[in-house]
Amino acid sequence: MPEIHTKASAIGHAECLVIGGGVIGSSIAYHAAREGHNTIMLERLLPGEGASKAAVGMLAAESEEFTDPELARFARTSRDAFPELVRELERLSGVSVEFRTEGFVTPFRSETEGHERWKAARTQENDHAEWWDARELARRIPGLDRQTIGAIYRSKETQLAPVQLCRAYAGAAAVLGASIWSGTHAKQLVVQNGRIRGVVTDKGFFTCNQVIIAGGLDSMQLLEQVGFHYPLYPVKGEAIAVSLKEHPLEYTIYADDIYLVPKQNNELWIGATSLPHHDNDEVTIAGLTGLLARASAWLPRVREASFIRTWAGLRPQAAAERPFIGAVPGLEGVYAAVGHYRNGVLLSDATGRAMAALLAGAGAVELGISGFSAECL
Ligand SMILES: Cc1cc2nc3c(=O)[nH]c(=O)nc-3n(C[C@H](O)[C@H](O)[C@H](O)COP(=O)(O)OP(=O)(O)OC[C@H]3O[C@@H](n4cnc5c(N)ncnc54)[C@H](O)[C@@H]3O)c2cc1C
């Protein structure tokens, strides 16, 4: 005999019920609340404890050199919204997201490679990318590998602290009227006559008009419950934080084989390995030694740095190789925002904003996200 769930027995009701408090779910909760939707966010742990906790926090819209034009546009729109977004989130939530705006440097050792990549960057990014030759680089980043022939400098690239970003999104959403249910595990979506009625959780039943699945890697099971097959797989990433006591780095170094990201208190975050289908979050010696060897090849003084900590996380990669942001077909009121792989922090603002607009009735085409809808997967 199936359990009967009625509105009367529910412990909460939302117009929009967001499942997952990672960087994607918490951005959706914030943008939905900002648009005036009655919103609840369910997170089985605390906001920012999933893959988002492992992220380094780069908003690398150009340095990523996306080949998919729709994703490239979406990424730039998202990154460009951050200065204003950060002001608003910090004002509302009181949480500092440690936003840094010094820009990113992509160095090269090969003349041919460097000049080809610079030519491509100049064509696509025209206004603000610069070429720094070896002399300029030596002035800007003392101690960089002497074999570096030059670098692309991208002044608009920014970075921040991802866990704080999740907390700031969630905190700001709460100030705007959303309810944040940490420690609440969504177990079962309840669909009747082709439309969402609510969600069964370990705390009780929530009714809702719209549900948004933003549970990172674990979204797959929730989507399967409503008959939608969207395969995701983990891509493990390991990273390490060290302390550069003298001459802390100013710019983020975004090389092809490694990135070095300066953080508060002279911390330098070095990442990351990329191990598809590895589903544990152990940090291996091979991973760490590889990261440190590549980092110190670009910046030899990393060898003198002191060790702080290491961590690993699982990026939610989609078999379709692009995120799914949209309505689940054939059902009323079921949406998902998943598969952000290695760019969830970067894409969080645009994803939250687009989802809030979809919930209010806007179309994917008018929002410029039709390539991320179910029909295109
Ligand atoms: C080493 C590393 C470095 C990275 N660096 C960057 C970077 O510099 N820039 C960038 O943009 N991206 C980066 N990423 C990628 C980024 O971390 C992910 O794209 C992003 O965190 C995905 O966010 P999410 O909200 O989809 O998933 P998650 O952060 O995993 O959030 C999903 C949340 O949903 C919750 N949840 C799941 N199921 C349920 C349920 N049934 N009920 C309730 N709650 C549930 C989970 O507890 C979790 O908190 C990096 C990743 C790694 C591993």
Side-chain angles (χ1 to χ4, degrees):
M1 182 73 177
E3 244 181 291
I4 309 287
H5 296 288
T6 63
K7 209 163 177 171
S9 66
I11 56 169
H13 172 78
E15 212 179 297
C16 310
L17 189 69
V18 183
I19 302 178
V23 77
I24 298 299
S26 52
S27 169
I28 294 169
Y30 165 69
H31 282 289
R34 192 165 179 268
E35 290 304 310
H37 300 288
N38 159 14
T39 304
I40 293 178
M41 184 178 93
L42 308 178
E43 165 54 53
R44 64 183 170 196
L45 305 167
L46 286 169
E49 289 288 312
S52 303
K53 190 178 183 178
V56 168
M58 295 178 297
L59 310 177
E62 275 142 13
S63 310
E64 279 282 278
E65 298 179 3
F66 290 103
T67 49
D68 174 339
E70 193 170 12
L71 200 50
R73 242 190 337 269
F74 195 61
R76 282 181 206 185
T77 306
S78 200
R79 180 204 58 192
D80 292 346
F82 268 85
E84 176 64 35
L85 172 79
V86 164
R87 270 194 294 280
E88 192 62 6
L89 292 183
E90 290 186 339
R91 185 183 67 79
L92 289 169
S93 68
V95 176
S96 164
V97 302
E98 298 168 18
F99 190 51
R100 295 191 54 159
T101 59
E102 294 90 343
F104 289 17
V105 170
T106 296
F108 299 96
R109 294 192 183 96
S110 142
E111 294 271 356
T112 325
E113 170 80 0
H115 290 139
E116 267 169 26
R117 297 272 290 280
W118 164 232
K119 219 162 81 188
R122 208 171 31 176
T123 321
Q124 284 153 22
E125 299 156 26
N126 52 58
D127 55 343
H128 58 274
E130 290 171 26
W131 177 257
W132 287 354
D133 62 16
R135 252 174 84 169
E136 181 70 10
L137 266 178
R139 197 173 70 76
R140 302 274 197 165
I141 311 178
L144 198 65
D145 175 27
R146 290 220 188 99
Q147 286 173 35
T148 312
I149 56 99
I152 301 172
Y153 169 63
R154 293 173 166 108
S155 62
K156 277 188 153 185
E157 303 282 67
T158 49
Q159 52 110 344
L160 43 68
V163 175
Q164 278 94 315
L165 178 65
C166 293
R167 291 184 185 150
Y169 274 135
V175 170
L176 296 172
S179 297
I180 310 297
W181 285 68
S182 294
T184 307
H185 194 158
K187 300 281 190 185
Q188 180 71 46
L189 304 185
V190 178
V191 173
Q192 278 167 2
N193 304 325
R195 59 166 303 185
I196 188 75
R197 296 289 167 193
V199 175
V200 179
T201 76
D202 58 353
K203 296 272 166 62
F205 182 58
F206 289 81
T207 55
C208 62
N209 304 350
Q210 294 164 319
V211 68
I212 304 97
I213 300 168
L217 264 182
D218 293 329
S219 301
M220 202 163 58
Q221 288 83 345
L222 292 166
L223 286 165
E224 292 282 354
Q225 285 180 9
V226 290
F228 188 72
H229 188 56
Y230 176 72
L232 289 162
Y233 63 92
V235 180
K236 179 164 122 175
E238 297 153 304
I240 176 169
V242 299
S243 172
L244 274 183
K245 295 237 159 36
E246 281 167 32
H247 311 300
L249 197 64
E250 187 181 350
Y251 306 97
T252 290
I253 297 181
Y254 191 101
D256 287 346
D257 59 348
I258 196 85
Y259 43 75
L260 295 95
V261 188
K263 298 287 181 180
Q264 283 200 337
N265 306 320
N266 287 352
E267 285 194 15
L268 181 69
W269 292 8
I270 299 169
T273 56
S274 183
L275 301 157
H277 303 287
H278 285 228
D279 61 1
N280 63 74
D281 60 3
E282 289 157 16
V283 179
T284 63
I285 300 301
L288 281 188
T289 49
L291 289 174
L292 289 172
R294 294 194 294 280
S296 50
W298 284 112
L299 195 68
R301 68 192 142 92
V302 163
R303 291 195 194 95
E304 278 106 59
S306 50
F307 170 79
I308 302 179
R309 66 185 173 280
T310 64
W311 65 92
L314 304 178
R315 306 175 183 93
Q317 169 66 313
E321 293 196 347
R322 41 172 41 194
F324 167 32
I325 305 168
V328 172
L331 290 172
E332 214 181 305
V334 183
Y335 298 80
V338 290
H340 289 72
Y341 182 38
R342 50 183 276 148
N343 286 296
V345 182
L346 164 65
L347 300 176
S348 64
D349 176 74
T351 301
R353 218 176 271 272
M355 184 55 74
L358 284 176
L359 298 172
V365 174
E366 96 192 63
L367 294 170
I369 56 162
S370 55
F372 311 137
S373 61
E375 294 70 30
C376 290
L377 298 173

